Amino acid sequence: PMLKPTNANQKCVLRFYYYMFGLNDNQISIYIRNQTQLNTITVSTIKRKSQDIWQSAIVQLQSPGSIFQVSLL
């Protein structure tokens, strides 16, 4: 979904849980795509931990000032 930008005084965070399993699942990258410029910015990359459990993550997002989209790959 496309998200509306926040005020400069408000925090914008992404909270989620993830579980990495398998040999090829070793990181998750979080991206923001600005609707007006269509460029993609890497916000954060989470590397695999040796623990075989669900992990929680909180990522601070910098609102780009226009409608944007968040992707996790």
Side-chain angles (χ1 to χ4, degrees):
M2 300 305 282
L3 305 170
K4 293 181 181 179
T6 59
N7 284 334
N9 299 334
Q10 294 177 321
K11 290 183 180 179
C12 183
V13 295
L14 174 67
R15 296 174 191 210
F16 62 97
Y17 287 88
Y18 64 94
Y19 183 85
M20 292 189 201
F21 179 77
L23 297 175
N24 296 324
D25 298 330
N26 52 5
Q27 75 179 30
I28 297 172
S29 296
I30 297 99
Y31 303 95
I32 286 184
R33 190 177 115 202
N34 186 326
Q35 183 185 26
T36 56
Q37 298 174 349
L38 296 179
N39 56 340
T40 303
I41 300 167
T42 304
V43 176
S44 181
T45 300
I46 299 170
K47 302 273 186 192
R48 180 184 201 169
K49 297 180 181 177
S50 60
Q51 299 169 331
D52 191 19
I53 60 172
W54 283 91
Q55 302 285 330
S56 65
I58 300 174
V59 178
Q60 182 81 32
L61 301 177
Q62 180 68 33
S63 180
S66 65
I67 295 174
F68 64 100
Q69 185 175 34
V70 177
S71 301
L72 282 74
L73 301 174

